[in-house]
């Protein structure tokens, strides 16, 4: 198996995790769109976190497919895994606040769950890179 | 070239740790994103929010936006130029000073630039951390000002102790979350203060001229701009540090400053924590307070230790531990002693701060102008090899720095000039100009800029060169 084929097989787990993060970002963005016009302050936060998750994950997947070596793939995983993890932490803290779920409890809860799941998937990407791709936790 | 092959051709022995005395080897260099996140980790702190808040009390929205953009352009240029030097030489700011100010100059100016100020600001920020935690949880004995300052300072020492990897790890984990939480804080503050409509018609009770606002923006981070090589030395390409610096200043610093100014205009003060508590963002307030201070303060301690370790013969990690413990205890003592104030200490640090931009002015003048005049290719400037000779003192660099500092103090120019042009910019530009004129002029006249000689050994330490005859 050539080096490049080997890398392609190694990145399946992080690609899937980041793809799920894209879906979670879309969920949060949809929540933001559905509350449009109700409460602008929470709209902004839903759109911000949703778009951050979508953008970080899409760029991460694109860079993973371009990576030619295991180390490079590992570096991409660490960078984007932590970005997704950290964005999820920010999201879950914000959506737990009453100010941002005013009268829209279901929307807030959905966004909080999506943020919590993105924390998990971000961590999966990071830990996978550490254990299977052999890179350190901060590249 | 693989790491094992590269390591065979790397001749240096890193006896102090974290490449204090020697260039960062290729296999330790980091990605552009890593450099960007570490810089952003330094920026992501409550001090920049308070800085923006201060602007919000002194100007209307249009003036604040203009002052922030202009000030950030100045910081981008200075920091970008210094970061490029670090990315080329792969040495810390103080290691680079050996090439410019001489061995003794690197010790003296390194301590002046970072050793004392960065450590001092670590103390101040640790004490402020104690104040903030106490505001959030006033009834918890562990959250009293002195005890919160103590455990906070020790916490911040841990990642600095680990070294660059520790700073980077924390930045990766914290920066995006800090951005999200702080944005939530801004929005809630604007709402509780009266909404966006109030911002467009805001007029400060005590307005100040635009130049004064720009001075504050530049002054907030000018020292950080000059010591960008401390981080940029870890970049893989020379321009990565500059790129990372410019993007984070022009995008993030502008955003943080303007948004916090808007919050202040709405609420009547930089009541960031209050806005978050009103919104039910108590956890967010804790996160911003703890991690915001942590990601910045560990860099303060890291940079301070880098400068001291140039001549104090102990491992950098041990030095960080010593400096961190002393600083934490000092902050604890200040919080404990009734009536104690850090104001005189802060005033001293701010006075010292006016002497620092000239150090950067000479650095930029030497790398970009004098070395070019001497015909040295850019990638070879400040190149390190075993046996390279360094001067003990570059008297022209010392003189230029002092003249720049004197101008910034108003000892040479009339103080009326300093009312319109920021003192930090005056000092920086004058030092730059004086160094260019003197260094090139004296070189053409056959006068040496340098006094004494020392060679560098494989440990990055000086070995005096004996005079012949």
């Amino acid at each position: 198996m050539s080096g490049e084929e080997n890398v392609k097989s190694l990145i399946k787990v992080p690609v899937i995790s980041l793809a799920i993060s894209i879906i979670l970002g879309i969920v949060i963005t949809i929540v933001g769109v559905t509350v449009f016009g109700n409460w602008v302050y929470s709209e902004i936060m839903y759109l911000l976190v949703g778009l951050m998750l979508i953008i970080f994950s899409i760029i991460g997947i694109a860079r993973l497919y371009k990576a030619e070596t295991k180390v490079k793939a590992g570096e991409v995983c660490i960078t984007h895994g932590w970005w997704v993890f950290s964005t999820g932490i920010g999201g879950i803290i914000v959506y737990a606040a009453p100010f941002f779920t005013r009268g829209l409890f279901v929307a807030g809860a959905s966004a909080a769950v999506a943020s919590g799941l993105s924390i998990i998937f971000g961590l999966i990407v990071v830990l996978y890179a550490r254990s299977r791709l052999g890179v350190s936790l901060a590249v | 070239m693989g790491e094992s092959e590269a390591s065979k051709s790397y001749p240096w022995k890193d006896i102090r740790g974290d490449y204090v005395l020697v260039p960062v080897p290729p296999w330790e260099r980091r990605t552009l994103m890593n450099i960007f996140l570490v810089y952003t980790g330094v920026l992501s702190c409550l001090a920049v929010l308070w800085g923006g808040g201060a602007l919000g009390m002194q100007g209307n929205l249009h003036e604040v936006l203009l002052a922030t953009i202009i000030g950030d352009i100045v910081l981008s240029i200075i920091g970008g130029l210094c970061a490029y030097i670090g990315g080329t030489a792969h040495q810390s700011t103080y290691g680079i000073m050996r090439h410019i100010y001489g061995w003794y100059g690197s010790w003296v100016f390194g301590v002046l630039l970072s050793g004392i100020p960065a450590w001092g600001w670590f103390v101040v920020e640790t004490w402020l951390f104690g104040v903030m935690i106490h505001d959030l949880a006033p009834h918890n004995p562990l959250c009293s000002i002195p005890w919160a300052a103590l455990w906070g300072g020790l916490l911040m020492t841990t990642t600095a102790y680990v070294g660059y990897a520790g700073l980077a790890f924390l930045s990766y984990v914290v920066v995006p979350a800090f951005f999200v939480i702080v944005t939530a804080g801004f929005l809630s503050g604007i709402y509780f203060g009266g909404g966006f409509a109030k911002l467009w018609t805001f007029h400060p009770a005590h307005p100040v001229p635009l130049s004064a606002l720009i001075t504050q923006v530049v002054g907030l981070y000018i020292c950080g701009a000059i010591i960008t090589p401390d981080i940029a030395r870890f970049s893989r390409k020379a321009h990565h540090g500059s790129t990372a610096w410019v993007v984070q200043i022009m995008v993030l610093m502008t955003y943080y400053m303007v948004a916090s100014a808007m919050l202040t205009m709405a609420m009547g003060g930089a009541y960031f924590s209050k806005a978050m508590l009103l919104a039910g963002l108590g956890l967010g307030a804790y996160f911003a307070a703890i991690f915001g201070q942590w990601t910045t303060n560990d860099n303060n301690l890291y940079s301070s230790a880098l400068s001291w370790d140039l001549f104090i013969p102990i491992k950098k990690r041990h030095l960080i531990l010593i400096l961190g413990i002393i600083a934490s205890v000092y902050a604890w003592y200040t919080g404990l002693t009734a009536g104690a104030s850090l104001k005189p200490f802060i005033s001293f640090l701010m006075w010292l701060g006016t002497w620092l931009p000239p150090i950067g002015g000479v650095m930029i003048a030497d790398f970009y102008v004098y070395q070019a005049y001497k015909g040295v290719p850019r990638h070879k400037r400040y190149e390190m090899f075993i046996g390279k000779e360094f001067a003990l003192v570059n008297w022209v660099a010392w003189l230029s720095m002092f003249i720049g500092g004197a101008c910034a103090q108003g000892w040479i120019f009339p103080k009326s000039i300093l009312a319109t042009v920021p003192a930090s910019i005056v000092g920086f530009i004058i030092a730059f100009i004086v160094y260019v004129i003197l260094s090139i002029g004296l070189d053409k006249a056959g006068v040496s800029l340098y006094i004494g000689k020392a060679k560098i050994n494989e440990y990055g330490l000086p070995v005096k060169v004996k005079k012949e005859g």
Side-chain angles (χ1 to χ4, degrees), chain A residues 75 79 86 99 102 138-139, chain B residues 30 33-34 173 177 191 236 279:
Chain A
E75 288 175 355
T79 304
S86 185
F99 179 78
R102 234 185 210 202
V139 295
Chain B
R30 310 302 174 108
M33 186 56 71
N34 178 293
V173 174
Y191 170 79
R236 289 179 182 167

Side-chain angles (χ1 to χ4, degrees), chain B residues 102-123:
Chain B
W103 276 108
Y104 296 154
S106 68
W107 300 350
V108 169
F109 294 112
V111 165
L112 261 182
L113 179 63
S114 215
I116 296 172
W119 181 85
W121 285 115
F122 181 89
V123 173

Side-chain angles (χ1 to χ4, degrees), chain A residues 110-135:
Chain A
S110 309
V113 168
S115 298
L117 287 172
S118 66
I119 293 173
I120 294 168
F121 284 102
L123 209 50
I124 287 173
V125 174
V126 166
L127 294 175
Y128 181 86
R130 179 80 184 96
S131 59
R132 294 297 306 277
L133 302 175
V135 290

